[in-house]
Amino acid sequence: MAIWLEQASADFETRFAAFLTTKREVSEDVNAVVRTIIDDVRVRGDAALAEYSARFDGIDFSTTAMAVTAAEIDAAVDAVDPKVIEALELAARRIEKHHRRQMPKDDMYEDDLGVGLGSRWTAIEAVGLYVPGGTASYPSSVLMNALPARVAGVPRIVMVVPAKAGEINPAVLAAARIAGVEEIYRIGGAQAVAALAYGTETIAPVAKIVGPGNAYVAAAKRQVFGTVGIDMIAGPSEVLVIADGNNDPDWLAADLLAQAEHDVGAQSILITDDAGFGRAVEAAVERQLKVLSRSGTAAASWRDFGAVIHVADLEAAVPLANRIAAEHLELAVDDPDALMAGIRNAGAIFVGRHTPEVIGDYVGGSNHVLPTARSARFSSGLGVLDYVKRTSILRLGPEQLRALGPAAITLANSEGLDAHARSVAIRLNLEG
Amino acid sequence: MAIWLEQASADFETRFAAFLTTKREVSEDVNAVVRTIIDDVRVRGDAALAEYSARFDGIDFSTTAMAVTAAEIDAAVDAVDPKVIEALELAARRIEKHHRRQMPKDDMYEDDLGVGLGSRWTAIEAVGLYVPGGTASYPSSVLMNALPARVAGVPRIVMVVPAKAGEINPAVLAAARIAGVEEIYRIGGAQAVAALAYGTETIAPVAKIVGPGNAYVAAAKRQVFGTVGIDMIAGPSEVLVIADGNNDPDWLAADLLAQAEHDVGAQSILITDDAGFGRAVEAAVERQLKVLSRSGTAAASWRDFGAVIHVADLEAAVPLANRIAAEHLELAVDDPDALMAGIRNAGAIFVGRHTPEVIGDYVGGSNHVLPTARSARFSSGLGVLDYVKRTSILRLGPEQLRALGPAAITLANSEGLDAHARSVAIRLNLEG
């Protein structure tokens, strides 16, 4: 049973503040192990990669190739249920179409002094996509990570996926094919991150690494950050549902459980202005838990981190939602737009009773890689902007330099940087 | 004397690759000390802040207020040379105007199925700006960090600056006034970062921390990342100048030294197709070094990390420039546009012989906070996008859910997530 928080209670603020800061992850300190693996792969390349893959994944690169061949991808596509392929293709079309709208435009212009200014966007040259093995090996995540890179124009997208005894989930390879990813290696863990960052004899290095992974992968990404770019380090998933009493409790219980089944650290929160409805949702959650295949995970998540918050009216939900800053926010109310206007912190908003968050996980078109753990206060979901970078451009002629140079000299001198001042003065035949 | 690399030499690739990976910073391991300070400020708030400020900055908060008053800022403005104020105001106007063009637009639309999709941008609610004390306390950096936040619409911008015995550089306070920053605390170091991230009795927490600092500040930013957002961790500055033989060697020597005077770890590189010109620039650097106030720093930087690279023709400079991925790139050639077309990795490009990089440091209008240490391969300079975040929006009605739901159910089931499947199926009266 999740906790129940009553906004009208005297201790609400204390309890809500404590709820907000509850840690939902055990942080394992694997930094030292990861440091050793990275250094080793950096120095010994393929040989180290082979040793770690043998030890951790039980795969022998003297008999199985590290690179996945086009023929293997063909075979994987054939092995996947055509209905799944069709659904992945629908998802891919929608994701690609939506993300095309995110492509930033260059902006080159001259100001009133005749100074040329500009922002020019270029795609990152090479991106590595980490895909976890085992049960967390989701084809939908391959689409969500790879397609924005494709849209951005990244010329080289490399996928790594650990293959226990050589096996890779065929749906993951099919998703890679649909997303246009052709360079795939069966490696995983910190050793795969090291190989992507520093390169080996077989694998050329990339400039950025994205994608989810376990504690070792996360630590490795943090350690190679700077040598390469990385995406956010995602925590357990969350959903916040704001609902009035005019919903079917079963619908929203299903949404809360869809989040909870991800991980014991996932979090599902309901805010409602109708206490009776809140109780009905709680009851529906208990009923539905009985029939889920991942009911152990979902029950633990709901028990340890779930919450129902009862507020006097729906407007009171808005400031709470901004403090929670949820990865996913559902607005299951009559007038969602009225509430949405006040929301500033949320990874994604699902508007109205007919937009379950799950649509966004797969086929909505928007990205399902979103900021967790309250980081929607300062960061955005994955998108095309994560695969491009901006170069700023400045162009002066002699006339513009005469106009702006003296102020630059004044500021450089005031900061005690006389070589700065000289670099302008020398062109104007002035004293620095 | 800087090193000389001859592209025509047999060992060029080896030497260039080694040059690219040369470390220019001593990495101090201050993590444990910083961890203690952060934990202490988190638990004891103002009391801890006062103790660390007394110890490290020699300031007594029982006699000097932590917050800087409006009257103190007024007094600082009066104390600064009016010519400097005027130059700061010119810089601020130009920075603000340029950054306004970076403001992203919301994008809300309906697709052909009638699905509502959107990207909505909101400003981060509160941002902390770290300003170093002492000689690295640059008013220009206050403008560069604060103005994009203002343009983004950040409602609360907090500045922290360590004040040795209570003193703050008046030009820094004047720049804060010009940038519209009114909430200023005389604190610094890891304790200031902790106060911004977690809050104290006096200081409300922020959602993101930006600005340069020493090893302790950098380590503290890394440690609080996740609780708050942070900007990039900047390394020593760099310039790459691509020049033909038709330049005044003294101009480009001055540009190389303007970078070198920043830090012994700064790096200045000249690529030229004219060996005689390269030698002339080297000679000019030696001459100019004699008259600089920071000649010790500049000479060490040039000796340890400077380079002249001689190439057969200017086109050969482009792939080298992309590998160097310099923070600042000057194109001092007849046809800079021809070269610029091929450049993909650079923080900022300064086009033509009359655009010294120093203009971009102060009054060009573009931002001077740019990616260092080859990170222009995957990241951008500071801008408005660093102070906003995107919420994605999805809106389906019953009809759209009927159209997309079955594919979502198929994918959820294929990933073994049956609560996901149920959350859609229950709304469509289907089996999950």
Side-chain angles (χ1 to χ4, degrees):
Chain A
M1 191 67 115
I3 63 162
W4 181 283
L5 297 172
E6 195 63 47
Q7 201 182 19
S9 302
D11 65 350
F12 175 77
E13 177 53 35
T14 311
R15 292 187 69 201
F16 182 69
F19 173 72
L20 273 189
T21 53
T22 306
K23 279 236 174 306
R24 293 189 282 126
E25 271 183 298
V26 186
S27 50
E28 285 179 76
D29 188 1
V30 297
N31 277 314
V33 179
V34 165
R35 169 59 55 212
T36 306
I37 295 174
I38 291 175
D39 290 346
D40 198 18
V41 171
R42 196 173 172 186
V43 172
R44 296 197 302 124
D46 281 347
L49 209 44
E51 282 175 27
Y52 290 113
S53 299
R55 192 191 310 171
F56 298 129
D57 300 331
I59 184 168
D60 178 357
F61 286 141
S62 69
T63 56
T64 308
M66 197 184 293
V68 176
T69 64
E72 288 176 286
I73 303 175
D74 291 342
V77 173
D78 289 343
V80 175
D81 180 348
K83 235 181 90 185
V84 172
I85 298 284
E86 208 179 295
L88 286 171
E89 284 171 344
L90 170 69
R93 279 194 305 274
R94 293 187 58 82
I95 295 163
E96 190 170 333
K97 211 164 174 180
H98 177 67
H99 284 76
R100 284 208 182 285
R101 301 176 71 107
Q102 294 179 356
M103 191 71 192
K105 287 187 181 54
D106 290 353
D107 180 32
M108 310 290 287
Y109 65 101
E110 263 190 20
D111 71 8
D112 44 9
L113 292 177
V115 176
L117 290 115
S119 298
R120 191 175 69 169
W121 294 93
T122 43
I124 295 173
E125 278 175 296
V127 167
L129 164 55
Y130 190 94
V131 178
T135 53
S137 188
Y138 295 138
S140 57
S141 290
V142 173
L143 300 184
M144 294 291 179
N145 280 280
L147 287 169
R150 274 280 300 261
V151 168
V154 172
R156 177 169 167 248
I157 305 175
V158 187
M159 189 171 115
V160 294
V161 51
K164 296 272 173 193
E167 288 300 313
I168 299 174
N169 176 357
V172 160
L173 293 180
R177 164 65 55 81
I178 290 167
V181 179
E182 299 289 343
E183 185 179 347
I184 304 173
Y185 301 100
R186 38 185 133 238
I187 53 174
Q191 61 274 19
V193 173
L196 289 171
Y198 295 104
T200 69
E201 298 88 331
T202 302
I203 303 173
V206 302
K208 184 163 185 172
I209 301 175
V210 301
N214 63 17
Y216 291 84
V217 172
K221 281 168 68 181
R222 281 187 195 273
Q223 289 187 19
V224 299
F225 175 58
T227 298
V228 296
I230 61 168
D231 60 349
M232 62 189 107
I233 306 281
S237 204
E238 310 130 17
V239 71
L240 166 60
V241 178
I242 301 180
D244 58 27
N246 301 326
N247 288 283
D248 182 333
D250 267 313
W251 289 19
L252 300 188
D255 296 355
L256 296 169
L257 287 169
Q259 217 54 227
E261 78 171 330
H262 269 300
D263 191 285
V264 293
Q267 183 164 58
S268 305
I269 307 169
L270 172 70
I271 303 185
T272 182
D273 59 346
D274 182 330
F277 175 77
R279 294 292 175 202
V281 171
E282 286 186 324
V285 165
E286 298 305 324
R287 277 197 311 274
Q288 293 186 26
L289 269 174
K290 299 201 175 80
V291 300
L292 295 180
S293 67
R294 297 166 66 100
S295 63
T297 300
S301 156
W302 178 244
R303 179 192 67 222
D304 296 338
F305 304 113
V308 178
I309 303 177
H310 177 229
V311 291
D313 51 55
L314 289 173
E315 290 67 44
V318 172
L320 300 181
N322 282 330
R323 290 172 67 188
I324 293 169
E327 182 189 14
H328 306 106
L329 170 62
E330 287 189 8
L331 301 177
V333 298
D334 278 336
D335 185 2
D337 291 295
L339 292 186
M340 193 158 70
I343 298 294
R344 65 187 300 153
N345 299 331
I349 304 178
F350 302 85
V351 185
R353 311 184 201 283
H354 298 277
T355 316
E357 180 278 324
V358 168
I359 292 294
D361 286 341
Y362 294 113
V363 291
S366 50
N367 209 291
H368 80 197
V369 182
L370 293 166
T372 58
R374 305 186 64 219
S375 63
R377 291 173 300 127
F378 54 80
S379 62
S380 309
L382 192 73
V384 170
L385 286 173
D386 295 292
Y387 295 106
V388 294
K389 64 255 174 7
R390 191 185 59 234
T391 297
S392 67
I393 291 166
L394 202 56
R395 179 195 307 249
L396 279 68
E399 201 181 320
Q400 288 77 37
L401 190 61
R402 274 193 300 276
L404 292 179
I409 294 171
T410 298
L411 291 173
N413 282 325
S414 83
E415 293 184 351
L417 298 173
D418 59 330
H420 278 61
R422 283 178 58 88
S423 142
V424 176
I426 201 169
R427 287 172 166 85
L428 298 174
N429 292 312
L430 296 172
E431 287 295 309
Chain B
M1 190 68 115
I3 62 162
W4 181 284
L5 297 172
E6 194 63 48
Q7 200 183 21
S9 302
D11 64 350
F12 175 78
E13 177 53 34
T14 311
R15 293 187 68 201
F16 182 70
F19 173 72
L20 273 189
T21 54
T22 305
K23 279 239 175 301
R24 292 188 283 128
E25 273 183 298
V26 186
S27 49
E28 285 180 75
D29 188 2
V30 296
N31 277 314
V33 179
V34 165
R35 169 58 55 212
T36 305
I37 295 174
I38 291 175
D39 289 346
D40 198 17
V41 172
R42 195 174 173 184
V43 173
R44 295 197 301 125
D46 282 346
L49 210 43
E51 282 175 27
Y52 289 113
S53 299
R55 193 191 308 170
F56 298 130
D57 299 331
I59 184 167
D60 178 358
F61 286 141
S62 69
T63 55
T64 309
M66 197 183 295
V68 176
T69 64
E72 289 176 286
I73 302 175
D74 291 342
V77 173
D78 289 342
V80 174
D81 180 350
K83 236 182 87 183
V84 171
I85 298 285
E86 207 179 294
L88 285 172
E89 285 172 345
L90 170 69
R93 280 195 304 275
R94 293 186 57 84
I95 294 163
E96 191 170 332
K97 212 165 174 182
H98 177 67
H99 285 76
R100 284 209 183 284
R101 300 176 72 108
Q102 294 179 356
M103 191 70 191
K105 287 186 182 53
D106 290 353
D107 180 33
M108 310 289 287
Y109 65 99
E110 262 190 23
D111 72 7
D112 46 8
L113 291 177
V115 175
L117 289 116
S119 297
R120 191 174 70 169
W121 294 93
T122 43
I124 294 173
E125 278 176 295
V127 166
L129 164 54
Y130 190 93
V131 178
T135 52
S137 189
Y138 295 136
S140 58
S141 290
V142 173
L143 300 184
M144 295 290 179
N145 280 279
L147 287 169
R150 274 278 300 264
V151 168
V154 172
R156 177 170 168 249
I157 305 175
V158 187
M159 190 170 114
V160 294
V161 52
K164 295 271 173 194
E167 290 298 313
I168 299 174
N169 176 358
V172 159
L173 292 180
R177 166 65 54 82
I178 290 166
V181 179
E182 300 287 345
E183 184 179 346
I184 304 174
Y185 301 100
R186 39 185 132 239
I187 53 173
Q191 62 273 19
V193 174
L196 289 170
Y198 294 105
T200 70
E201 299 86 332
T202 302
I203 303 172
V206 301
K208 184 164 184 170
I209 302 175
V210 301
N214 62 19
Y216 292 84
V217 172
K221 281 168 68 181
R222 279 186 196 273
Q223 288 187 19
V224 300
F225 175 59
T227 298
V228 296
I230 61 169
D231 61 350
M232 62 188 105
I233 307 282
S237 204
E238 310 130 17
V239 70
L240 167 60
V241 179
I242 301 179
D244 57 28
N246 301 328
N247 288 283
D248 182 333
D250 267 313
W251 290 20
L252 300 188
D255 297 356
L256 296 170
L257 287 169
Q259 217 53 227
E261 77 171 332
H262 269 300
D263 191 284
V264 293
Q267 182 163 59
S268 305
I269 307 169
L270 172 70
I271 303 185
T272 183
D273 60 343
D274 182 332
F277 175 77
R279 294 293 175 201
V281 171
E282 285 187 326
V285 165
E286 298 305 325
R287 277 198 310 275
Q288 293 186 26
L289 268 174
K290 299 202 173 78
V291 300
L292 294 181
S293 68
R294 298 166 66 100
S295 62
T297 300
S301 156
W302 179 244
R303 179 192 65 222
D304 295 339
F305 303 115
V308 178
I309 303 176
H310 178 229
V311 291
D313 51 56
L314 290 171
E315 291 66 46
V318 172
L320 300 181
N322 282 330
R323 288 172 69 187
I324 293 169
E327 183 189 14
H328 306 106
L329 171 62
E330 289 188 8
L331 302 176
V333 298
D334 279 334
D335 186 3
D337 291 297
L339 292 186
M340 194 158 71
I343 298 294
R344 66 187 300 153
N345 298 332
I349 304 177
F350 302 86
V351 184
R353 311 185 200 282
H354 299 276
T355 315
E357 180 277 324
V358 168
I359 292 294
D361 285 343
Y362 294 113
V363 292
S366 50
N367 209 292
H368 80 197
V369 182
L370 293 165
T372 58
R374 304 188 65 218
S375 63
R377 291 172 300 127
F378 52 80
S379 62
S380 308
L382 192 72
V384 170
L385 286 173
D386 294 293
Y387 296 106
V388 294
K389 65 257 171 8
R390 191 185 59 234
T391 297
S392 67
I393 291 166
L394 202 56
R395 180 194 307 251
L396 278 69
E399 200 181 321
Q400 288 76 36
L401 190 61
R402 272 195 301 276
L404 292 179
I409 294 171
T410 298
L411 291 173
N413 282 325
S414 82
E415 293 184 351
L417 297 173
D418 59 330
H420 278 61
R422 280 178 59 90
S423 142
V424 177
I426 202 169
R427 286 171 166 86
L428 298 174
N429 293 311
L430 297 172
E431 287 295 309

